[in-house]
Amino acid sequence: MKTNKLITIVLLLILSSSSLLAQENFNDEYVAIETRIEAEIIKMREQAKTNEEKQKEKLKVKIEEINKQLDAKKITLEEADLQKKEAAENTAQGIIAYNKLIEAKIDYMKARKIVQENGEWSVTLNPIDNEVTIFNGNNRKYKKHHRTEFSSILAFGYNYWSGDNLTIDDFSYKNNNFFQFGIRLNTLLDKNNGLLRLNYGLDMILHSTELNGNRAVTIGGSNTQIAPIGFNVDKAQFTQLQLVAPLHIEIGGSKRKDYEDGRVRFDTYNEWKAGIGGFIGFNLRSTLNYKFEQDGRNIRQDTSNAFDTNTLVYGVDAYVGYGSLTLFGRMNLNNIFKSDSVDVQYVSFGIALQ
């Protein structure tokens, strides 16, 4: 009992660490975004300064052209002064408008935590009130290091009970099945290296178990037993549906990809991998299904949640594979039943697609 409690505490601490790692990842991405935004602001203000210098140079050329026309007596002094004034005002307004657009982009980046990418800005300036409206068609946050991948998992296998002098030979082969479906998150532990990862998620697990020799678990009461059924049955299958949260340390190959905009990705597709860890969760439903023949009729009888099963489930597992295909093995460390009269745990193995 003390061992089981210790294992439960350790698994809960491991699951808590994944939450802390996720927070650390978020902080890293936030810092990366802030750093990129500051660099972009410096760049954009340099553009504004360069634009102002160019506009002043254009004004200088324009004034020289006006002076040439005045010297050639093509225009009067009054006309020359008026044209110079208009050129200076147009230049000043152009510089002010350009600076407004730059500052509006900067405010937008700061508010939305995004940066200008590939020039995908759409900017409008209302000439009446000089209000600036910006739309970024991309409108996504910049993430230099993408450390977490999302996927699903589907697994099939065989399972049986270990303990109480039971071995794999005590179970039928056709009705002892393991099924798993869930979601997975795979997070790099080092943003600059894809070798070591944290694999975690949420799974629905279905254990189906059938003893051979017309034996089954007893129904009702708080003292579950494995006992002869008393008559011939075609099927006596005990099924449990469980919701579990797995957590694994995974090691595997990866290919680094560096993009022109500074992004870094690690591709783990079609690479070898191996993982070891554990899981913790809850048993949702327990059902005993009988199929037998009586007086020439086929009878089916289902009994649900009439057993003294443990609600908390936990255990250890490991896997190894290549690409999306892995071979796995797992063992529940919790006793299936609360009573000490039947001391059994699940052992499962099979193939998973992720």
Side-chain angles (χ1 to χ4, degrees):
M1 183 63 69
K2 291 182 178 180
T3 301
N4 287 347
K5 287 183 176 179
L6 179 61
I7 293 170
T8 303
I9 292 171
V10 171
L11 288 172
L12 287 172
L13 289 174
I14 293 174
L15 289 172
S16 298
S17 70
S18 67
S19 175
L20 292 175
L21 179 62
Q23 181 64 36
E24 179 186 352
N25 293 344
F26 174 81
N27 291 336
D28 288 346
E29 298 294 352
Y30 181 82
V31 171
I33 293 168
E34 289 293 320
T35 302
R36 180 66 187 273
I37 288 175
E38 289 301 322
E40 200 70 21
I41 289 174
I42 294 173
K43 179 181 176 181
M44 293 171 70
R45 284 181 173 155
E46 285 294 328
Q47 290 175 352
K49 184 178 179 181
T50 301
N51 175 73
E52 183 175 348
E53 292 173 353
K54 288 182 178 180
Q55 295 303 318
K56 287 180 179 180
E57 284 296 324
K58 289 181 180 180
L59 176 61
K60 183 178 179 181
V61 172
K62 180 67 174 176
I63 290 175
E64 289 176 354
E65 291 177 354
I66 295 172
N67 287 334
K68 288 179 181 180
Q69 289 180 338
L70 178 62
D71 293 341
K73 297 183 178 181
K74 292 181 180 180
I75 58 175
T76 64
L77 179 60
E78 290 78 8
E79 290 174 333
D81 290 340
L82 180 61
Q83 289 183 17
K84 289 178 184 180
K85 183 178 179 181
E86 288 179 352
E89 289 178 351
N90 290 337
T91 299
Q93 289 178 1
I95 292 172
I96 292 171
Y98 188 86
N99 290 343
K100 277 182 174 290
L101 296 180
I102 291 294
E103 292 302 319
K105 288 180 180 180
I106 291 173
D107 292 341
Y108 186 80
M109 285 194 300
K110 288 181 177 180
R112 293 296 187 90
K113 301 302 179 187
I114 62 171
V115 295
Q116 179 180 2
E117 298 194 19
N118 302 322
E120 295 185 3
W121 289 96
S122 175
V123 185
T124 61
L125 177 63
N126 188 327
I128 298 176
D129 54 12
N130 282 341
E131 287 294 325
V132 178
T133 303
I134 297 180
F135 172 74
N136 181 355
N138 201 348
N139 202 27
R140 65 183 176 86
K141 290 185 179 181
Y142 177 86
K143 290 186 178 182
K144 182 175 181 181
H145 293 274
H146 185 76
R147 299 176 64 177
T148 300
E149 294 180 347
F150 175 85
S151 63
S152 60
I153 185 171
L154 181 65
F156 305 90
Y158 182 85
N159 75 178
Y160 65 96
W161 293 347
S162 174
D164 243 9
N165 299 319
L166 293 174
T167 67
I168 192 172
D169 295 328
D170 289 290
F171 296 87
S172 69
Y173 289 99
K174 63 178 182 178
N175 291 326
N176 278 53
N177 306 310
F178 174 89
F179 176 79
Q180 175 186 16
F181 176 76
I183 58 174
R184 282 289 186 276
L185 295 170
N186 203 305
T187 299
L188 303 181
L189 293 178
D190 182 353
K191 68 179 181 180
N192 297 314
N193 190 324
L195 180 64
L196 197 61
R197 282 107 57 172
L198 194 66
N199 186 282
Y200 52 100
L202 194 64
D203 294 335
M204 292 294 293
I205 304 291
L206 187 67
H207 292 281
S208 294
T209 313
E210 181 182 45
L211 286 156
N212 55 26
N214 284 327
R215 293 178 295 167
V217 294
T218 56
I219 299 173
S222 60
N223 188 22
T224 298
Q225 300 285 338
I226 294 177
I229 298 172
F231 56 93
N232 292 327
V233 294
D234 298 323
K235 181 179 179 181
Q237 189 175 31
F238 183 76
T239 302
Q240 286 194 307
L241 180 65
Q242 299 171 350
L243 178 67
V244 303
L247 178 65
H248 306 97
I249 297 294
E250 180 178 286
I251 185 171
S254 64
K255 296 177 182 177
R256 178 178 173 130
K257 292 185 177 181
D258 293 270
Y259 296 85
E260 292 182 357
D261 60 4
R263 289 178 298 143
V264 178
R265 300 291 185 267
F266 287 91
D267 186 4
T268 60
Y269 184 70
N270 281 343
E271 297 287 340
W272 66 271
K273 58 185 172 182
I276 186 170
F279 55 90
I280 187 169
F282 302 95
N283 183 59
L284 303 177
R285 186 179 180 86
S286 301
T287 303
L288 181 61
N289 171 242
Y290 283 143
K291 285 185 179 180
F292 57 92
E293 185 177 336
Q294 185 179 55
D295 298 330
R297 295 182 302 162
N298 292 324
I299 306 297
R300 173 174 176 152
Q301 178 181 321
D302 295 332
T303 304
S304 298
N305 298 329
F307 316 92
D308 63 333
T309 54
N310 278 309
T311 302
L312 182 66
V313 297
Y314 51 90
V316 294
D317 62 350
Y319 57 88
V320 62
Y322 180 84
S324 60
L325 184 66
T326 58
L327 302 177
F328 71 89
R330 56 189 282 144
M331 180 175 182
N332 283 55
L333 299 178
N334 65 286
N335 193 10
I336 298 175
F337 302 100
K338 293 179 181 178
S339 63
D340 295 330
S341 57
V342 181
D343 182 17
V344 290
Q345 299 84 32
Y346 285 112
V347 176
S348 310
F349 52 88
I351 298 175
L353 297 172
Q354 181 177 340

